[in-house]
Amino acid sequence: MTLSRHYVLAAGGTGGHMIPAHALAEELIRRGHRAALVTDARGARIPGLFNGVQVHVLPAGRLGGGPIGWWRALRNIYTGRAMASRLYETFRPAAVIGFGGYPALPALMAAQRDGIPTLVHEQNAVLGRVNRLMARKVDAIATAYPDIDRLSPKHEPKVHLVGNPVREEVLELRDQPYPALSEDGVFRILVTGGSQGATILSHVVPDGLGLLPEHFRRRLQVTQQCRTEDIDRVRSVYARLGIPADLATYITDMPEKLAWAHLVIARAGASTIAELTAAGRPAILVPLPSATDDHQTANAREMAKTGGARMIAQRNFTPIELAKQMQKLGLSPAALGNAADRARLVGRPDAARDLADLLERTGQELGSDPLVAEEMVLRPVSGGAFA
């Protein structure tokens, strides 16, 4: 019989950190464990994640901003560490795992001070700042890619390749065939750029599709994420081109839209890559150049090298270049189907299972008796914050 344990997941408040943490929490709960989330105010506001999971908010400790900014950050980090320790006194986690982002730092620091096993999970192909800070002290490092930049060779013995956990609804697409596409059938394009990346796509994609030969352009249907300030202009461009387009500032039903799409044009965030490769969808990827350590370019390498995606650097991302790449892919259903297969090849659909296994194993080998945790009574938490 599997014993029920408690685990704390600590993640910064962006989708790239929160979605894999959410997928892991669901896997742990399926196994009969209890999970609690430590995040910041942004993470607590993301809809549709961590239902039924205790959510604890602590102050963000972003480093920077000169001496005053550093002082405030350090104050928040040590305040957060004390708050996390109070949670651990009652929740008694078998292990604590950080997914990056500044809220993970005090949560991991508190666990290490209290003798609780710790892990980090790196979603990107470049080790993030918080994970770099904690890499020396944690008991295990889980990665999403086989090659991770800025990871010291001395830490390699505790590295475990697991992939990026994705939502169950996306995993279900893996068992579905790539949408049928004939040479004269409707060609469906999904365009998504995230909050930081939608403007360049809103400028280039409509104009690029407008350069396609008329017989190809008439086949197109588009679903596109746009910033609020761009949406009216983009809608008018598509109307002028005669391309049916569904535009929104936030795509709430992403698994459904992935199932619908023949091709995705997107940034190269970690969750985007994980979902594309889990579902098996070909893509044109435009890495965000301002991403820390240029990690989106690194994220796109594996999928592009395998042939599941075309990568275009933002400096080269013009309507003409997009139209050229669209014709290379889109005018051949066989080429698209092959790219979909190659995208699926680099997917790691068992990431949530493998990460949960690693978390359980680390907690069992290095943690305290799990029966102690099961006997603890959780202290009530008001308003999602630490008591």
Side-chain angles (χ1 to χ4, degrees):
M1 182 179 71
T2 301
L3 295 173
S4 176
R5 290 179 170 84
H6 297 173
Y7 296 98
V8 169
L9 287 57
T14 65
H17 299 309
M18 294 285 285
I19 289 175
H22 167 78
L24 175 62
E26 289 192 324
E27 176 66 19
L28 292 172
I29 291 168
R30 276 195 294 271
R31 297 182 181 199
H33 301 307
R34 295 177 183 172
L37 171 71
V38 170
T39 187
D40 55 22
R42 290 184 306 162
R45 290 194 297 266
I46 296 178
L49 301 181
F50 293 96
N51 295 325
V53 173
Q54 287 192 24
V55 177
H56 302 272
V57 176
L58 51 74
R62 182 176 293 275
L63 301 174
I68 294 176
W70 278 86
W71 181 84
R72 288 175 178 169
L74 290 172
R75 182 188 62 185
N76 285 338
I77 288 169
Y78 282 100
T79 299
R81 188 180 73 171
M83 295 167 70
S85 286
R86 290 201 298 272
L87 169 65
Y88 303 158
E89 288 174 3
T90 54
F91 194 66
R92 297 295 298 274
V96 175
I97 180 169
F99 285 83
Y102 288 99
L105 181 58
L108 291 167
M109 291 171 61
Q112 290 168 354
R113 187 183 65 175
D114 296 344
I116 300 168
T118 55
L119 308 81
V120 293
H121 177 269
E122 180 54 62
Q123 301 88 55
N124 294 302
V126 180
L127 200 65
R129 291 176 180 173
V130 170
N131 286 348
R132 287 202 300 271
L133 282 172
M134 303 306 295
R136 180 174 63 87
K137 293 186 176 182
V138 296
D139 299 297
I141 300 171
T143 65
Y145 298 90
D147 298 315
I148 303 295
D149 296 345
R150 305 203 67 172
L151 175 65
S152 173
K154 65 185 178 183
H155 300 319
E156 289 181 1
K158 55 184 174 183
V159 170
H160 304 262
L161 175 61
V162 299
N164 254 332
V166 299
R167 292 168 286 186
E168 190 65 33
E169 303 94 315
V170 175
L171 279 180
E172 291 172 357
L173 301 180
R174 193 170 182 85
D175 298 325
Q176 299 178 18
Y178 179 73
L181 179 65
S182 63
E183 292 188 358
D184 57 355
V186 173
F187 188 96
R188 301 190 293 264
I189 303 171
L190 172 62
V191 185
T192 175
S195 60
Q196 297 184 70
T199 291
I200 185 71
L201 301 182
S202 294
H203 280 287
V204 173
V205 174
D207 290 343
L209 299 186
L211 296 177
L212 293 171
E214 185 177 0
H215 69 278
F216 189 9
R217 193 170 68 241
R218 286 179 176 177
R219 298 170 51 202
L220 302 179
Q221 287 186 4
V222 176
T223 293
Q224 182 162 348
Q225 178 195 18
C226 301
R227 285 188 173 185
T228 302
E229 59 267 30
D230 296 328
I231 199 164
D232 289 338
R233 177 184 54 78
V234 174
R235 183 176 285 113
S236 67
V237 174
Y238 281 128
R240 174 173 54 80
L241 295 171
I243 298 174
D246 179 16
L247 309 181
T249 56
Y250 184 76
I251 298 176
T252 56
D253 54 345
M254 184 60 74
E256 182 179 328
K257 289 296 186 288
L258 276 175
W260 169 88
H262 293 110
L263 177 70
V264 179
I265 303 173
R267 289 298 197 187
S271 291
T272 297
I273 300 288
E275 292 186 345
L276 289 170
T277 56
R281 288 297 180 273
I284 293 174
L285 300 174
V286 186
L288 178 67
S290 61
T292 305
D293 298 318
D294 197 21
H295 67 253
Q296 288 202 4
T297 297
N299 290 350
R301 285 186 311 218
E302 184 182 35
M303 192 176 177
K305 183 178 179 180
T306 308
R310 307 272 177 124
M311 179 168 56
I312 306 175
Q314 181 165 305
R315 63 181 178 276
N316 300 324
F317 186 57
T318 65
I320 292 174
E321 180 62 23
L322 176 62
K324 182 170 69 175
Q325 296 297 335
M326 282 287 302
Q327 290 185 81
K328 288 180 179 178
L329 277 171
L331 291 177
S332 171
L336 271 175
N338 182 57
D341 290 340
R342 290 176 178 272
R344 189 180 286 107
L345 278 176
V346 294
R348 296 180 174 88
D350 298 325
R353 183 202 68 187
D354 292 345
L355 185 56
D357 288 348
L358 177 62
L359 186 63
E360 286 182 331
R361 190 163 63 247
T362 304
Q364 290 169 8
E365 293 173 354
L366 302 173
S368 59
D369 186 346
L371 288 176
V372 174
E374 186 62 22
E375 294 168 357
M376 296 303 296
V377 177
L378 300 184
R379 180 172 55 187
V381 177
S382 174
F386 284 98

